[in-house]
Amino acid sequence: ITGISQHLSGIAVSIHLSVTIGATFMSFTMIGNISTKLLIGFLSDLLSPIKAVIMMILINCLSLILLFLGVINKATLYIGSLMFGSIYSVGAVGIPMLTRYFFGNENYARTYSVIGFLTNVGSASSLTLIGYLYDFTQSYQIVFIIALCFHLINLILLVIICLRYNGVGDK
């Protein structure tokens, strides 16, 4: 999902806006990136790492919907771009927090090395896959739909893990 931000200029051009506006979308995303990384840490301390990550994923879902609907007006795209920065808080802060939460300090290094590798492979390959999807469909709309599906899968898996971790469902 993080690969979408690299395509914001292309997204702007695909809906008949200038590359400069697309670059502004990227600037808004980076502002969202910084602010939500701080926010997720605060929310984690206030609520819990699980709730903080879920909130950031939901914010990112809303951003994808706004970007999907962005052809309505530029303001929707600016807001969606700002909120899209929340995806970086999940990858850079949320996943390490959840790894420590579920695996503890003793198993953190061994476990996170595998998780970090897999998330980086996914992030790196997403740039190319998004480009191919655009080439095949001449639209970025399918990218937003697929990203929302990935978020749904991630939320379901996180709920299942939480239920198992808290002993709910064990017989």
Side-chain angles (χ1 to χ4, degrees):
I1 297 171
T2 58
I4 292 173
S5 64
Q6 304 303 313
H7 290 271
L8 287 172
S9 290
I11 291 168
V13 170
S14 75
I15 57 174
H16 311 293
L17 298 172
S18 71
V19 175
T20 305
I21 290 175
T24 305
F25 295 156
M26 186 62 177
S27 296
F28 273 82
T29 297
M30 291 300 104
I31 293 168
N33 171 3
I34 294 166
S35 58
T36 57
K37 282 179 181 173
L38 297 171
L39 180 60
I40 195 172
F42 173 76
L43 291 173
S44 174
D45 292 342
L46 184 66
L47 305 171
S48 77
I50 296 165
K51 290 177 182 175
V53 170
I54 289 173
M55 290 174 78
M56 289 301 118
I57 291 173
L58 292 174
I59 289 170
N60 196 256
C61 287
L62 181 58
S63 78
L64 291 167
I65 292 167
L66 291 175
L67 290 169
F68 182 84
L69 299 173
V71 293
I72 297 169
N73 62 45
K74 283 189 272 190
T76 304
L77 290 166
Y78 287 127
I79 294 167
S81 297
L82 179 70
M83 293 172 67
F84 186 77
S86 62
I87 195 60
Y88 295 105
S89 72
V90 174
V93 182
I95 292 174
M97 276 190 325
L98 291 178
T99 303
R100 177 161 281 130
Y101 180 80
F102 288 116
F103 294 96
N105 289 333
E106 332 53 75
N107 298 314
Y108 176 80
R110 184 170 37 109
T111 306
Y112 187 72
S113 64
V114 174
I115 293 170
F117 171 77
L118 294 173
T119 57
N120 284 316
V121 167
S123 181
S125 60
S126 73
L127 293 169
T128 304
L129 293 173
I130 291 168
Y132 282 135
L133 284 170
Y134 177 77
D135 289 344
F136 290 132
T137 64
Q138 296 302 303
S139 171
Y140 285 100
Q141 302 300 345
I142 189 72
V143 172
F144 298 129
I145 293 168
I146 291 171
L148 285 167
C149 290
F150 273 112
H151 275 321
L152 180 63
I153 291 166
N154 289 333
L155 287 170
I156 290 169
L157 290 174
L158 188 54
V159 168
I160 290 170
I161 290 168
C162 288
L163 291 175
R164 297 290 296 172
Y165 182 77
N166 292 322
V168 178
D170 289 337
K171 302 209 181 225

